[in-house]
Each structure stands twice: as C-alpha cells, then as structure tokens.
Amino acid sequence: MVPQGQTLASPPRLHSRRLRVRGTSITLLRQVREQAQADLGITVDYELLDFPTCQRRAATEPQGYDVYEQCFHNLDIVWFWGALQPIDINRITEWDNISDLAKQGGISKYAWRGHGDAPVRKLYVQPGGFLGPKPSRYISMLPTVHNMDSFGYDPRVFGFAENVTPSWAWLLDKRAKGRIALVDEPAIGFFDAALAAEAAGELDFADIGNMTIEEINALMALLEDRRRQGYFCGAWRDGDAAAQLVRDGAVAVQSMWSPVYCQLGPQAGTFLEAAPLEGYRAWHGGASLSRHLAGADLDMAYEYLNWWLSGYAGSVMARQGYYIATPERSRAHMTPQEWAYWYDGAAAAQDLTGPAGDWVVRAGAVRAGGSYRDRASRIAIWNTVMDEYNYAARAWERFILRVQSGRAVDEGAA
Amino acid sequence: MIRSANPFATEPRYELITRVLRSNIERGTLPEGLVLLEGPISIAMKTSRVPVQAALRHLLAEGLIHRFEGRGYLVGPAGKAITPLRRDLQEFQLNIPGEVDDALRTRGTWRHVYEQVEEQVASCQIFGEFRIVETELSEYLGVSRTVARDVLARLQERGLIRKSASSHWIAGPLTARTVREKFEMRRIMEPAALRLAAPHIRYAEVEHVLEMMDSGSILTSESLSESLLDLCIAQAPNATLVEMIRSNRLLLSSVSRALTSLGLPNDDETNDQYRTIFDLISRHPIDSAVEYLRDHIEILSRRNLARLKIVAVVQETGAFAPYLIPQ
C-alpha cells in the first residue's frame, strides 16, 4: 500500500490492451486513433496499406490483424477466403441509428439503388455463409464511412461550372488528351473508365455492374486504343500521388477522392470537383472482425466498433469530405458551420479546417453536388467486384502496367 | 515369361525416388540446408508429385531432412538452425543410377506425367489465355512427342484446352461464365439422371456412406460428391447421359484442385448437404432427393463463382511452365 500523501512514479502511459487495425488511408487517421486510445484506454496499432495490397493481405493473413477497415465491395474477396467472422448486431449499440443507405440500399424507399455492389447486398450473413440483403442477426462488416466519388477537372480546359455540366465522358475527352489519369484499383478505376465509355457513347453495357467477358474486352480495347494515342499520363493508388499530379499540372481530368481536393495548394482553384451528369460512383466503408478473435480480444474489438459509430470518428471523416453511417451522432462533434457545409450543402460560413486542423475550405465555398441527400440520391454505380472480377482485374493490371511504362504510345497519332 | 533384368523395374516409384535422394544427400551432392520442393523433384524424376511426397515423408522419418517455416523441406537433421538455401535443383547434378533412371523412364507413359501437366494447365487459366507448344511440352517432360500428344488429347477431352483457328493449343482464360454454364448443365442433367437411376441405386453402399459420416469419419466434399455420382447418379440406365455428366464435371474438378493448389481455402461447407441428399435417397421417395439435388447444385454454383472471384488475390509470379506461352 502506498502511504497517504505519497505517489509512486507513474509508469509510462502504456495500455496492456492492444488492438491491431489493418486498413487504408480512408480511415486510418492519426486523429481517430488518438481519440480511440484516449476514450477506450487501449493501444491501437495501425497498418496502413493501399487498396489491393490491403485486400490481399486481409484475405490471406487474417492472423495479422484484429479489425479490418475497408470497403464493402471487397467482402467478396476477404469474406469468401474465410478470413472474417460475423458481427452480432445485438452487440452493436448504434445499430438502430445506422442509415438506410447501408441497411436498405438507398437513402429513401424511392431512391435509385445504383448498379453493382450496393453495401446492403453484402451486408447480412445468409444461410450457407453467403452475403445478401435479407436481414439477419449477423453482418459481415459494420457500415461506417462512405462517399459518392466523381472526378476532378480543370475548368480552363472544360469550362466553368455555370456553363457546363461535367460528364464522365471527360475522362476520355480529346481536349484532355495526354493529361488524363485514373485510380488504379480494378473495382474502382475500372468503373470510372466504364462510366466514361458509356457517357462518351463508345460502349453500352447491358449491366455495367456485372459485365460480360465481351464487354470487358471491349472496354479494355477502347482504353488500349486511347492509351496508344497517348491519352493517359498516369495511374495512382493513393491520394498523395493524385494530388501531386494536379500540383504538377500534369492532369486536366482524373479520378479523384474527396480529401485530395484539400491538398492541391495553389492549384485548388483550377481543379474542381465534378457533380457528373450521369451520377456518382459510390463506395461504402466499414469495419470487420478477424476470424481469430475470441474472448477479451473480441470484446475489445466490439468496443472499438461501437466507438466508431458514437460520433467523434464521423466528425473527423466529415472534415475530409466523407459521410458516416450515424450522421446525427457526429453532428454533436461538429460546429454548425461544418455541418451546414459538409452535410447540408450550404456555403461555408467561415474557413473550415480539415482533420489535422489545416485549412481545407474557404468561406463562401459550396460543395459540388450539394447536400448529402442530393448526392446520395444520384448514385450511378457502387464500387463492385463483378462475377468476372478475376478476368477484369488481370486485364486492368496489364493495362495499368502499359500506362505506367508508357510502352508503344503512337507518337504523333491523331 | 520374360522377367525384366532390371532389379528396380518392379520397385514402387516412391522407393526409387527415396533411394536417389537418400544417396545424393549422403554423398553430399545435395548440401545441408538446401530447400527441397516437390515440383522440381518430380520434374527431375519425371514423375507426378504423389510419389515424391511419399519419398519426402520417408526421408523425414529417417531424419535426413526436416520441416521448417517455409514451404518444402530442408536437407539435414532438425535442430541445427540451418539457414535455408534456395537454389535450383538442376544446379546440383543429381546422381541418378542408370538402372533407376531406366526404371523411372519405363513408366514414362502419358499417365505418369498427366497429373502434373493438368495441374499446371488448369491453374494457369486463372491468369489468362495461354498457348501450349507441343515440342516445348515434350522437352519439358522429357518424353516423346507421342506421349506429349497423348497428354494434350486427354486435356482436350477434359475441356481444359482447345484448338484455335490456326491449330494452336489454347488454354483459358477461365471465366465465371464457363463455370456458370457447367453448373447449369449439371443442374439440368444430374437431377434427371438421379430420377432415372432410382431403381438401380446402390442403396447398401449409400447406407455405408451415411454410417461413415455418422461415425465421424472425415470425408471431403470432393469424395462425397464422387460417391453421389458413382453410387447414385451414374446408375441411371442411360450410358450417353452418364457419359455427358461425367465429362461435364471434368473441367470443374480440375479447376477446383488447381485453385486449392494455388492456396485457396477448401470449401467443405456443403458436407451437411450431402448427408441430407444421401438420407433422402435412402429413406424417401426419389422426388424429394431430386428436388434437393437441384437446389444443392445451385448452391454449389454460387459457391464456386464466389471462389472464382477470390483467386484474383493470387499474384501472378510470372513463373509459368516454359511450355505455357501467355497470349
């Protein structure tokens, strides 16, 4: 016993409970981690990877993590490797508050669901270990962060927003030849290209969310033709690389992620977020439990999952332009001005800062596409792992290699 | 009757391989720490992997090799913290006594190399389309072109390769559509055959399978599927139908084995369904088993399509057998 008035030298603040999180730059943010550690009294170890690497290692090395933070579309890979265990919704305190976009498939009964893998189609564990939309007590992934992605463009090339309506067709537009880049992920960038091909009137897919071999071949042939003509200047796997292309003035149009708009520096005024005519390519992220978790470790993982939806993490996500499945809980952690800009589509009443406290949005700015409701009502397609994913992914990989090596570009071609 | 003059001619292949590896380890041709893998050994010995696996087990029991954290075995006894030495087996000039070599070669009909080629051809297809060059294949296997041609004919029969318009042998790509169509065929043919087979099913053997499942014997879904085919469906008194059913399944089973060899997890989730089918067959009017079988094949189809997606994670190492030319 320590005598009154005396204290022992306090040990360094180390928590005996450690949680290992494997994920991507979407959610593995310092601010989230620090707050989770403080609130839960645990140590959170992050392992941050790019999308394809993250997916592969999550599938084949489930012993290496406790919680997996990724997107619903890649459950088709990771779940069927048997790397994850079902989440019991009875242990999810915020379950009833999770939005209908995740649980029903659309923000309202009447909203168009979008092509491809809407998260609800992968949410519930069905008999036989399949995933599907029929509600059950167990889910594959806890829905958290999400967004509707589009592309960014240089208005000096395409015109300013008052006069023009951006179209996915711009990703294959002759005006941007040599200054086009795509995100290198076969369930994401592939659909940016597919939307572009349809919008440009080049191709017509019977079901863009589940293409046939012939349709995939036709798309890859179109992309290869444009590549040979020198349309593409690059492909990237992370936001920093995307931002660099813009700052270097290398791109006139490219796939974009929301936080990247905040990293453009002086180029911010000449590279704008599109609200495309055809609608958005949406994605929904979440957190899953590794197969090996049990006992106290499993309890800790549930604490962490519940913490994710309790408000703070959602406010950090909002400041980089992402939405959360329990928006009302996050509202309490945001200023009214932040909420008005990010969720309601109102003009920023003052300068707004990003997750790290640096300047993100200037007063007076309005988010492209408007409010959460407006944007979520215009989902054209979700990031998707199609039936022919293996075939498409390998064709995509070969295409990207050729883009990056710049092989056999027909110099001077029309 | 003329007896072979070669004393090794009747010795099982695994014993011949064990003999060769043992003498090469003992005389130091294969140095301590060398990583031994089934594949390269089976190529050097011109056999399938099965006898190589058996030979390695024997050497392990003899303490001449040991397991380590990686794939394969290390030459030398365990417990000496030997550093793994990863080198191509071909560098080591394996000493194979002429008589043993002869004994291995006389077994060199297509059957002895087929299994290995089938696995290589089935698994390459997930990476895309490949051309197979007959001369390269015979060179790679160390067999005559006649044997290589036999192997190719067998692969074609299984639906693993086809002839292109320019008469080249083509393998792949393996697509979801192929898998879906094969299962659709199964769903049309197999329930119909089961109905026809009802009076001819080998009921006593079905009972035996059920007893084995009840007694906790570990049966793989592959073996249960084989039993269902052999004991029940293939008893249909229509040889043409049964032949179509068998050949329709060949590609699917080759692919399934190839995916497992690429490291995909086995799928034994459906074992309970086999129990239900056998139970329905042995104790109820055939109609219920026929309906259940239809649903079961539908579920198998979905599981296999899901499995085909996850192979996207398997990285292409660029190391295909030299007779496989990416297109």
Side-chain angles (χ1 to χ4, degrees):
Chain A
M1 207 177 111
V2 181
Q4 223 173 1
Q6 260 188 282
T7 53
L8 288 173
S10 81
R13 266 183 61 102
L14 271 181
H15 303 291
S16 58
R17 300 197 303 159
R18 297 188 90 91
L19 185 78
R20 298 167 306 156
V21 177
R22 179 174 291 173
T24 69
S25 61
I26 294 177
T27 54
L28 268 52
L29 268 63
R30 181 177 56 81
Q31 297 78 16
V32 173
R33 179 177 166 212
E34 284 172 0
Q35 195 65 38
Q37 295 187 140
D39 289 352
L40 299 172
I42 62 175
T43 298
V44 178
D45 294 328
Y46 271 175
E47 185 186 8
L48 197 156
L49 301 165
D50 70 51
F51 274 74
T53 311
C54 191
Q55 168 175 286
R56 187 176 68 253
R57 297 191 44 193
T60 57
E61 301 160 18
Q63 297 297 331
Y65 60 92
D66 303 320
V67 170
Y68 175 54
E69 293 184 12
Q70 246 264 33
C71 288
F72 272 81
H73 68 265
N74 82 73
L75 286 170
D76 266 355
I77 306 287
V78 181
W79 180 263
F80 283 98
W81 267 91
L84 306 175
Q85 62 173 292
I87 297 169
D88 183 350
I89 59 173
N90 291 345
R91 298 188 65 177
I92 300 300
T93 43
E94 291 291 332
W95 178 253
D96 291 338
N97 296 325
I98 291 175
S99 75
D100 284 349
L101 183 63
K103 287 198 292 198
Q104 306 289 334
I107 51 155
S108 78
K109 191 175 165 184
Y110 304 104
W112 156 241
R113 264 50 180 165
H115 293 283
D117 289 345
V120 68
R121 294 175 192 145
K122 307 289 163 196
L123 181 60
Y124 294 102
V125 180
Q126 316 279 301
F130 290 110
L131 301 179
K134 191 164 164 279
S136 77
R137 179 176 162 184
Y138 294 97
I139 57 173
S140 53
M141 180 174 257
L142 183 68
T144 58
V145 59
H146 55 284
N147 198 18
M148 299 88 211
D149 280 349
S150 64
F151 54 88
Y153 66 97
D154 185 339
R156 295 168 301 184
V157 174
F158 292 100
F160 283 85
E162 299 86 65
N163 322 319
V164 292
T165 310
S167 162
W168 286 99
W170 290 0
L171 282 173
L172 292 171
D173 197 301
K174 205 170 180 175
R175 287 172 289 178
K177 185 178 160 185
R179 300 179 65 209
I180 303 171
L182 294 167
V183 52
D184 170 24
E185 210 280 17
I188 306 178
F190 184 87
F191 290 102
D192 286 357
L195 285 165
E198 273 202 338
E202 295 279 354
L203 296 173
D204 186 24
F205 306 111
D207 177 357
I208 192 175
N210 201 9
M211 294 183 203
T212 64
I213 294 290
E214 288 76 19
E215 289 171 332
I216 294 164
N217 287 343
L219 177 60
M220 297 319 297
L222 174 70
L223 292 177
E224 177 61 10
D225 174 68
R226 295 299 187 273
R227 185 194 70 80
R228 280 177 174 278
Q229 292 185 44
Y231 272 61
F232 303 108
C233 63
W236 45 265
R237 282 191 175 187
D238 65 72
D240 291 341
Q244 192 60 48
L245 283 170
V246 177
R247 285 198 301 267
D248 291 347
V251 285
V253 60
Q254 71 167 346
S255 308
M256 274 293 267
W257 290 344
S258 186
V260 181
Y261 291 104
C262 312
Q263 303 171 33
L264 302 183
Q267 305 286 345
T270 56
F271 205 75
L272 307 180
E273 179 176 356
L277 176 66
E278 298 83 7
Y280 292 97
R281 176 184 48 69
W283 54 268
H284 210 302
S288 293
L289 302 173
S290 175
R291 173 178 72 196
H292 70 80
L293 281 176
D297 288 340
L298 181 60
D299 295 344
M300 172 173 57
Y302 270 108
E303 278 178 58
Y304 176 78
L305 259 52
N306 281 319
W307 177 85
W308 242 99
L309 291 182
S310 67
Y312 178 83
S315 73
V316 177
M317 292 299 118
R319 290 180 196 111
Q320 56 172 347
Y322 294 157
Y323 305 110
I324 191 80
T326 50
E328 286 304 323
R329 297 300 308 268
S330 290
R331 192 172 186 164
H333 294 263
M334 296 163 73
T335 67
Q337 292 82 2
E338 284 178 325
W339 178 268
Y341 176 81
W342 293 112
Y343 274 89
D344 283 345
Q350 61 188 72
D351 288 356
L352 301 177
T353 57
D358 46 348
W359 159 81
V360 173
V361 176
R362 282 288 186 216
V366 179
R367 190 172 193 184
S371 69
Y372 176 56
R373 261 200 112 61
D374 289 342
R375 289 162 53 90
S377 305
R378 298 187 59 245
I379 294 170
I381 188 167
W382 291 87
N383 290 354
T384 295
V385 170
M386 306 183 292
D387 284 346
E388 300 289 7
Y389 176 71
N390 176 55
Y391 182 83
R394 295 187 191 280
W396 175 261
E397 204 175 301
R398 290 191 292 271
F399 166 70
I400 293 293
L401 275 176
R402 290 192 297 267
V403 167
Q404 284 167 341
S405 68
R407 224 164 37 227
V409 171
D410 300 343
E411 293 295 338
Chain B
M1 201 173 80
I2 301 167
R3 285 181 63 92
S4 168
N6 185 342
F8 298 117
T10 52
E11 207 165 287
R13 267 179 301 159
Y14 77 85
E15 280 184 15
L16 295 173
I17 297 164
T18 310
R19 190 185 294 275
V20 170
L21 292 175
R22 188 193 293 123
S23 73
N24 280 281
I25 291 169
E26 283 170 350
R27 64 172 71 186
T29 315
L30 296 176
E32 212 166 66
L34 180 69
V35 178
L36 292 180
L37 297 169
E38 290 163 19
I41 297 173
S42 67
I43 291 165
M45 303 289 173
K46 303 180 182 69
T47 70
S48 73
R49 291 182 183 216
V50 179
V52 176
Q53 287 162 0
L56 290 170
R57 278 197 300 275
H58 276 266
L59 295 171
L60 180 69
E62 291 173 19
L64 286 170
I65 62 174
H66 66 280
R67 289 186 189 282
F68 73 119
E69 280 185 3
R71 212 154 56 84
Y73 298 84
L74 293 189
V75 173
K80 284 173 66 181
I82 301 168
T83 317
L85 176 66
R86 290 174 203 281
R87 299 261 297 274
D88 192 339
L89 192 68
Q90 287 178 358
E91 293 173 25
F92 293 96
Q93 302 283 320
L94 268 188
N95 184 330
I96 305 177
E99 287 174 328
V100 173
D101 194 34
D102 281 350
L104 285 167
R105 269 179 195 282
T106 49
R107 291 143 206 267
T109 66
W110 67 271
R111 277 172 219 282
H112 295 113
V113 288
Y114 179 76
E115 215 174 290
Q116 171 197 355
V117 177
E118 186 194 278
E119 189 186 309
Q120 288 169 340
V121 171
S123 53
C124 79
Q125 306 199 3
I126 68 160
F127 300 108
E129 190 175 280
F130 292 81
R131 187 154 71 86
I132 299 179
V133 183
E134 195 182 285
T135 47
E136 301 258 352
L137 177 64
S138 65
E139 212 166 284
Y140 172 78
L141 295 171
V143 298
S144 69
R145 287 189 68 175
T146 315
V147 172
R149 229 169 275 143
D150 288 346
V151 168
L152 290 167
R154 177 77 173 155
L155 290 171
Q156 184 185 26
E157 200 180 294
R158 292 208 141 203
L160 280 163
I161 59 172
R162 61 187 185 281
K163 274 250 163 105
S164 71
S166 50
S167 263
H168 289 131
W169 287 112
I170 302 291
L174 179 67
T175 64
R177 172 161 48 201
T178 314
V179 171
R180 200 185 301 110
E181 286 178 0
K182 292 278 176 194
F183 273 102
E184 211 164 76
M185 293 291 288
R186 282 192 61 179
R187 208 158 161 266
I188 293 167
M189 295 190 294
E190 293 185 20
L194 182 62
R195 188 184 297 281
L196 293 175
H200 311 284
I201 287 170
R202 283 146 64 177
Y203 288 101
E205 288 165 68
V206 170
E207 283 296 334
H208 180 65
V209 174
L210 279 167
E211 279 164 21
M212 278 173 66
M213 292 185 89
D214 285 339
S215 69
S217 302
I218 310 282
L219 299 172
T220 62
S221 58
E222 196 183 341
S223 75
L224 290 168
S225 171
E226 294 284 314
S227 301
L228 179 63
L229 178 62
D230 293 340
L231 306 178
C232 310
I233 296 168
Q235 297 303 315
N238 181 331
T240 313
L241 179 59
V242 171
E243 175 55 31
M244 282 175 77
I245 288 171
R246 284 197 187 279
S247 69
N248 182 59
R249 278 190 175 203
L250 292 175
L251 175 73
L252 294 174
S253 54
S254 309
V255 164
S256 179
R257 276 198 300 276
L259 295 187
T260 305
S261 78
L262 283 168
L264 261 68
N266 260 316
D267 184 6
D268 287 331
E269 282 273 329
T270 46
N271 286 11
D272 284 349
Q273 295 184 7
Y274 287 104
R275 161 189 294 283
T276 307
I277 295 176
F278 287 128
D279 198 58
L280 288 171
I281 287 172
S282 65
R283 298 186 229 295
H284 297 274
I286 199 68
D287 290 359
S288 50
V290 168
E291 283 309 311
Y292 192 88
L293 177 61
R294 220 188 298 278
D295 289 348
H296 165 71
I297 295 173
E298 173 66 25
I299 289 167
L300 282 184
S301 173
R302 290 176 61 195
R303 298 200 78 82
N304 275 268
L305 286 171
R307 207 157 178 256
L308 190 59
K309 283 189 195 184
I310 70 177
V311 305
V313 166
V314 178
Q315 279 179 310
E316 186 183 319
T317 53
F320 300 108
Y323 62 86
L324 292 165
I325 316 294
Q327 293 300 287

